[in-house]
Amino acid sequence: MNEKVYVPPIKIQGIKTKLVPLIRQSVIMQPNSVWIEPFMGSGVVGFNIEPHKAIFADTNPHIIEFYNQIKSGIITSYVVRDFLEREGKLLEEGDDNYYYTVRKRFNNEHHPLDFLFLNRACFNGMIRFNKDYDFNVPYGHKPRRFAKAYVTKIVNQVSHVESLLKTHSWEFFCQPFETTIAMAGMNDFIYCDPPYIGRHVDYYDSWDEKSELALHKALVDSNAKFMLSTWDHNDYRKNEYIATVWNDCQRITREHFYHVGAKEKNRNSVIEALLTNYTVTGKQNTLLKENEQLSIFNMMTV
Ligand SMILES: C[S@@+](CC[C@H](N)C(=O)[O-])C[C@H]1O[C@@H](n2cnc3c(N)ncnc32)[C@H](O)[C@@H]1O
């Protein structure tokens, strides 16, 4: 099994890079199963699972257009290097002004290369759109933002996806999760990483209780095997929907520590959960690192 985790060219808040090894060990697929990912975001999960056949979807049209242009050969690693070297130089000369020029250009023309540029030059690599569907993340100041080594890193990320798209049968659709899940057959595997309730980020990315209920219903109706990423609890709150909406699922939890500043007292943890409609065996324990505590326990079954 390939243990390396490849980071894709487009980043997004909530990216599941660190959970990929655990997800990879917990997925159950048949040789003819299609991987169905209705909330692809960066695509890091499916791109690393590397299923032969896959459907990737998202309501954010810019993510989908970016990958469709790689698939059709319009965006290549050469095109990306050329573009980022040129635009990076202009950013170095124009600084803030140039960033906002590109942001305005993107909001008028929606060019996927401008989307990549903004995603990698904006504050914290965020993706956020306002109510007019304009990208509105401010500039993430950094001297020599597109230095040669950084451009090469992004080019390698594009090149990796480019070669995957040549050898795998992957499709990309801009559509809501209901449409994507309806495409699943009972032998397929659906991995869902929806936005978290109450953490509304942007206008392609809103989520409420009605959406959570609709997602549960669509998954159950599909008769396919599914896995849902969500949060379980932190020191202050627990995710009430796990014991209500998702009480027919099994749950794997994993603790993540993160630091705010250097002091021990500022160490916080959040428990991430993977919910499945099948039993995960526990062999995934072998690859966890010291600070990655894993527990598997069954939820009550209705
Ligand atoms: C938490 S992110 C997924 C992150 C992804 N798993 C990763 O590791 O990069 C959620 C994604 O769901 C998309 N989304 C939000 N609402 C949606 C909906 N109703 N149908 C389909 N996609 C939706 C957002 O645009 C966003 O890209």
Side-chain angles (χ1 to χ4, degrees), residues 8 10-17 20 23 37-45 57-61 63 127 175-178 180 191-196 202-207 211 229:
I10 301 285
K11 305 262 188 110
I12 190 166
Q13 49 279 10
I15 187 167
K16 292 292 180 295
T17 315
V20 165
I23 295 170
E37 195 168 342
F39 308 87
M40 72 170 285
S42 70
V44 71
V45 178
D58 203 287
T59 43
N60 184 322
I63 294 175
I127 294 184
Q175 60 192 26
F177 69 84
E178 292 92 337
T180 312
Y191 169 71
C192 286
D193 183 16
Y196 294 165
D202 75 48
Y203 283 83
Y204 288 118
D205 202 21
S206 64
W207 199 255
S211 321
S229 275

Side-chain angles (χ1 to χ4, degrees), residues 242-277:
I242 289 182
T244 55
V245 176
W246 301 101
N247 71 354
D248 49 358
C249 290
Q250 312 230 344
R251 180 173 59 163
I252 304 172
T253 56
R254 172 171 153 173
E255 189 160 11
H256 256 312
F257 290 108
Y258 62 94
H259 291 83
V260 183
K263 293 185 182 147
E264 183 68 15
K265 74 176 174 58
N266 288 336
R267 196 171 87 142
N268 290 314
S269 71
V270 66
I271 308 291
E272 313 255 10
L274 294 182
L275 307 180
T276 57
N277 66 341

Side-chain angles (χ1 to χ4, degrees), residues 70-90:
I70 295 185
K71 198 176 156 179
S72 59
I74 299 170
I75 293 180
T76 65
S77 47
Y78 298 104
V79 167
V80 169
R81 181 179 292 285
D82 184 56
F83 176 82
L84 289 182
E85 281 178 357
R86 190 179 62 243
E87 293 297 309
K89 199 156 171 281
L90 292 169

Side-chain angles (χ1 to χ4, degrees), residues 12-233:
I12 190 166
Q13 49 279 10
I15 187 167
K16 292 292 180 295
T17 315
K18 291 198 173 130
L19 281 181
V20 165
L22 178 61
I23 295 170
R24 187 154 46 195
Q25 293 165 75
S26 312
V27 161
I28 297 182
M29 286 179 78
Q30 313 298 326
N32 64 345
S33 303
V34 181
W35 171 267
I36 308 228
E37 195 168 342
F39 308 87
M40 72 170 285
S42 70
V44 71
V45 178
F47 292 176
N48 278 285
I49 300 285
E50 286 190 31
H52 180 62
K53 275 185 140 189
I55 290 172
F56 291 96
D58 203 287
T59 43
N60 184 322
H62 309 296
I63 294 175
I64 301 304
E65 182 61 15
F66 183 79
Y67 287 108
N68 272 330
Q69 289 212 6
I70 295 185
K71 198 176 156 179
S72 59
I74 299 170
I75 293 180
T76 65
S77 47
Y78 298 104
V79 167
V80 169
R81 181 179 292 285
D82 184 56
F83 176 82
L84 289 182
E85 281 178 357
R86 190 179 62 243
E87 293 297 309
K89 199 156 171 281
L90 292 169
L91 181 67
E92 216 173 306
E93 289 159 13
D95 209 20
D96 286 51
N97 279 342
Y98 195 68
Y99 174 82
Y100 290 106
T101 301
V102 177
R103 197 172 83 169
K104 196 167 166 199
R105 184 171 77 196
F106 170 74
N107 285 331
N108 286 328
E109 298 168 14
H110 298 149
H111 199 291
L113 288 174
D114 281 341
F115 183 55
L116 175 68
F117 173 95
L118 293 172
N119 182 246
R120 303 308 286 251
C122 73
F123 178 73
N124 261 354
M126 285 185 66
I127 294 184
R128 194 182 62 202
F129 291 81
N130 66 18
K131 64 177 171 32
D132 297 321
Y133 295 95
D134 282 343
F135 185 83
N136 69 353
V137 185
Y139 182 37
H141 288 99
K142 194 173 176 196
R144 304 211 56 234
R145 166 62 69 178
F146 289 102
K148 203 171 182 347
Y150 192 53
V151 170
T152 297
K153 195 172 166 179
I154 301 169
V155 168
N156 289 342
Q157 290 164 349
V158 172
S159 171
H160 181 66
V161 179
E162 213 182 334
S163 54
L164 286 173
L165 289 179
K166 283 186 184 135
T167 49
H168 294 70
S169 178
W170 292 358
E171 292 185 282
F172 298 87
F173 298 106
C174 179
Q175 60 192 26
F177 69 84
E178 292 92 337
T179 313
T180 312
I181 294 174
M183 296 166 90
M186 59 184 295
N187 280 329
D188 297 340
F189 187 91
I190 308 173
Y191 169 71
C192 286
D193 183 16
Y196 294 165
I197 292 185
R199 299 193 197 171
H200 176 89
V201 176
D202 75 48
Y203 283 83
Y204 288 118
D205 202 21
S206 64
W207 199 255
D208 56 19
E209 187 170 307
K210 216 171 124 214
S211 321
E212 192 93 358
L213 287 163
L215 175 60
H216 178 263
K217 183 174 182 324
L219 286 172
V220 171
D221 289 352
S222 74
N223 287 320
K225 291 216 167 38
F226 69 80
M227 177 188 283
L228 176 93
S229 275
T230 188
W231 66 286
D232 194 88
H233 66 273

